[in-house]
Amino acid sequence: MNAIISASELASDLAGTNPPVLLDIRWQLSVAKAAGEPPFDGRAEYAAGHIPGAVYVDLDQELASAPGTRGRHPLPDTASFGAAMRRAGVFADRSVVVYDGGQGWAAARAWWLLRWAGHPDVRVLDGGLPSWEGPLETDAPPPAEGDFTPEPGAVQLLDADGAAALARSGVLFDARAGERYRGEVEPIDRVGGHIPGAVSAPTNENVGTDGRFLPAEELGARFKSLGATEGTGVGVYCGSGVSGAHEVLALAVAGIPAGLYVGSWSEWSADPERPVAVGPDPQ
C-alpha cells in the first residue's frame, strides 16, 4: 500500500462508491507567543474552508497527551485516541486519508498514529490542502460514529533508551533543522544539540518546493547515503514526534521501514542525565 495519495487520486476516490474517511489535521508549531502574535487556529482554518466531507482533528488535543516529562507531544491515551477517531468517523475496514495545510508534519503524525494503532489503510494527501484543486466547503455535519479500536504496536515505537541504542547499532535520523541538530540555536527546548550518534537528516529535504515528496528513488538514494542501507535498523526523532513522523513517512515512500521516537528531543533534553552532542559530527 502506498503511504501517500495525490490530489487527483483523492478526488477520484471521493467520487467512488466507497470513499475514504477524510481527516483535516491543520496545525502549526508556533513559537511566536512571546511576540504577542495569536496562536495558529486550525479549527478556524477548517471552518473557513475544507475538502468536502473532511472532519477536523486537533493534533494537540486528540493526537497527543498533555506535555510534560515525556515531551511536548507524548502519545495520546489509547482509549482517548480511539474515542477521538470514532467520533471522526474512522472505521477499521474503511480507508483513511489525512491532510494538513501543506507542510505535511501534522498529517504525518495522524498517519503514523493510526498505523501504530493498527489501522491497515491510511494515506497522506501529498502536498496537503494547497495541492487540492477541487471545491472547498464550510459545512461540517457530524460524521457517522466509527468503530475503530486501537491495537497498538503495529509499527515500531522507540523510547529514549531504544533511540540511544539504535544510534549505535543502526542509524538514528534527526529530522530537525541542521542548526538545531548542531546546537547553534534552540528556540524551544532546554538545550541545543543532538542525541550522540544521531545523523542529521532535515525533513524539509524530503520534499520539493511544492511541498510534495521527492520521487521514491531519490528519497531512497538520500537515506542510503546517510546510512540507511539494507539490513540496517532505522529510527527517527525530531523535536516532539511531529516532523519526525513526516520523515518516517518519507522513509516509507522510499520503502524503508523506520521506528519513531515520539518523545524526541523535547523529552531527551529535559533530562539532564542524558548526554548531548553538539556540532556537525554525530558523536
Side-chain angles (χ1 to χ4, degrees):
M1 184 194 72
N2 197 346
I4 58 176
I5 184 172
S6 69
S8 60
E9 290 171 327
L10 175 59
S12 178
D13 286 359
L14 289 173
T17 57
N18 188 29
V21 174
L22 190 57
L23 304 180
D24 184 313
I25 325 284
R26 273 179 275 183
W27 170 90
Q28 286 182 13
L29 174 65
S30 176
V31 295
K33 293 180 181 178
E37 297 180 19
F40 177 82
D41 188 341
R43 192 174 295 277
E45 294 288 324
Y46 167 82
H50 51 268
I51 299 176
V55 177
Y56 180 72
V57 173
D58 188 307
L59 185 150
D60 289 319
Q61 300 298 319
E62 298 173 305
L63 304 183
S65 55
T69 57
R70 294 186 300 130
R72 283 192 307 279
H73 291 106
L75 281 177
D77 171 75
T78 302
S80 298
F81 174 65
M85 292 300 97
R86 290 189 293 274
R87 285 195 304 272
V90 175
F91 290 83
D93 62 353
R94 186 175 168 192
S95 64
V96 178
V97 173
V98 295
Y99 73 89
D100 59 23
Q103 187 179 43
W105 294 4
R109 170 75 175 213
W111 167 83
W112 185 87
L113 269 173
L114 281 163
R115 295 290 294 118
W116 170 77
H119 199 288
D121 189 354
V122 190
R123 290 169 291 172
V124 171
L125 175 59
D126 194 17
L129 187 61
S131 71
W132 178 254
E133 297 181 352
L136 300 178
E137 69 176 12
T138 56
D139 291 340
E145 181 85 3
D147 66 4
F148 177 67
T149 299
E151 296 182 5
V155 296
Q156 186 182 15
L157 169 67
L158 298 170
D159 60 11
D161 290 339
L166 191 57
R168 303 300 182 188
S169 65
V171 60
L172 179 66
F173 289 135
D174 185 318
R176 298 172 301 158
E179 58 268 25
R180 292 184 69 191
Y181 170 89
R182 295 187 296 271
E184 297 166 359
V185 299
E186 182 44 64
I188 308 172
D189 293 312
R190 184 183 65 85
V191 64
H194 58 269
I195 296 174
V199 175
S200 180
T203 195
N204 62 359
E205 296 180 18
N206 297 323
V207 298
T209 55
D210 59 1
R212 293 179 175 90
F213 282 106
L214 300 176
E217 297 77 11
E218 291 185 31
L219 289 171
R222 181 195 185 212
F223 291 124
K224 287 176 183 176
S225 73
L226 293 172
T229 54
E230 187 173 354
T232 300
V234 179
V236 179
Y237 75 97
C238 57
S240 64
V242 179
S243 67
H246 191 263
E247 185 122 300
V248 173
L249 176 58
L251 284 154
V253 171
I256 303 171
L260 177 64
Y261 173 27
V262 172
S264 286
W265 190 247
S266 58
E267 177 186 44
W268 183 281
S269 64
D271 182 353
E273 298 299 317
R274 295 279 180 189
V276 172
V278 296
D281 190 321
Q283 307 306 321

